[in-house]
Amino acid sequence: RSVKERGCVNVSLNKGRNVIKVRCKQTKGEWGFGLRIERNDPAYRIRLLEKLLETFPESAGSWRALQAYHEIARCYENMHNYRAAVTAYEKAMACYAGDEERRHTAFENVLRVLDFLRDDEALIQASDKYIAAYPGTPGANYAVLVALRAEARSGKADAAKARLTRAAASADAGRLEDLYRNLAGAFK
């Protein structure tokens, strides 16, 4: 019986026709052989993963779907198509609306890419959207910090002050300290 990934050999194929010869030294019992052909370019990988997600919608809420969405986003990042990467991470967030941990992981990746792009307006919008959709969650607390930093960095000190005042109204002492430290760090 063939076992996936056992005895793997990576080979490069030539353009056009290739001949693959297999020698099985199985004298009794079942025998098997597996062959997997993959292309290594990100665009092909994105199309393949999107097609798998479309073909198997019943697994849309599984951990495999999350892995697929994240791999799609990473491929877009490798291709320097950051807006498409953000869209893929947002799809992962929508897919895991009921799972705080997975949704938060996807949200952190959205913010990471937008921060890399230094798109403060998009950071503020993404944070506000998350806060409105999932109030009172750890992700919403993180979104407030990110929005504060983006508003301060983009010169919107009044908006940052107003956000800080709203957040401080319901914050305990430790959270309040985090808010002020975050805002002070943004002005450095």
Side-chain angles (χ1 to χ4, degrees), residues 76-135:
Y76 278 126
E77 286 185 63
N78 289 340
M79 295 167 56
H80 304 290
N81 188 347
Y82 300 108
R83 296 294 173 190
V86 167
T87 302
Y89 285 128
E90 287 173 343
K91 285 181 184 177
M93 276 179 24
C95 182
Y96 292 100
D99 186 336
E100 172 68 26
E101 183 180 347
R102 291 178 176 172
R103 183 184 67 237
H104 184 69
T105 300
F107 179 60
E108 284 179 332
N109 282 311
V110 167
L111 297 179
R112 178 183 54 78
V113 173
L114 292 174
D115 192 43
F116 171 76
L117 294 174
R118 291 289 194 205
D119 190 345
D120 292 326
E121 282 301 315
L123 274 169
I124 295 165
Q125 289 174 1
S127 296
D128 286 341
K129 184 177 172 183
Y130 193 91
I131 292 165
Y134 311 104

Side-chain angles (χ1 to χ4, degrees), residues 14-28:
N14 298 320
K15 188 173 182 174
R17 186 177 178 149
N18 291 272
V19 177
I20 299 172
K21 295 181 181 180
V22 178
R23 181 173 164 184
C24 292
K25 293 184 176 183
Q26 183 76 19
T27 56
K28 56 184 165 179

Side-chain angles (χ1 to χ4, degrees), residues 9-21 35-39:
V9 177
N10 291 325
V11 296
S12 297
L13 300 177
N14 298 320
K15 188 173 182 174
R17 186 177 178 149
N18 291 272
V19 177
I20 299 172
K21 295 181 181 180
L35 174 70
R36 182 174 68 197
I37 299 175
E38 291 185 357
R39 285 176 45 183

Side-chain angles (χ1 to χ4, degrees), residues 41-60 64-77 79 81 83-92:
D41 59 307
Y44 174 78
R45 187 75 181 160
I46 290 168
R47 287 192 310 274
L48 176 67
L49 290 169
E50 287 174 342
K51 187 66 174 174
L52 286 171
L53 287 168
E54 179 186 314
T55 304
F56 301 103
E58 67 276 0
S59 66
R64 288 185 176 154
L66 178 69
Q67 292 289 344
Y69 283 123
H70 281 278
E71 187 172 343
I72 289 168
R74 283 190 299 272
C75 286
Y76 278 126
E77 286 185 63
M79 295 167 56
N81 188 347
R83 296 294 173 190
V86 167
T87 302
Y89 285 128
E90 287 173 343
K91 285 181 184 177

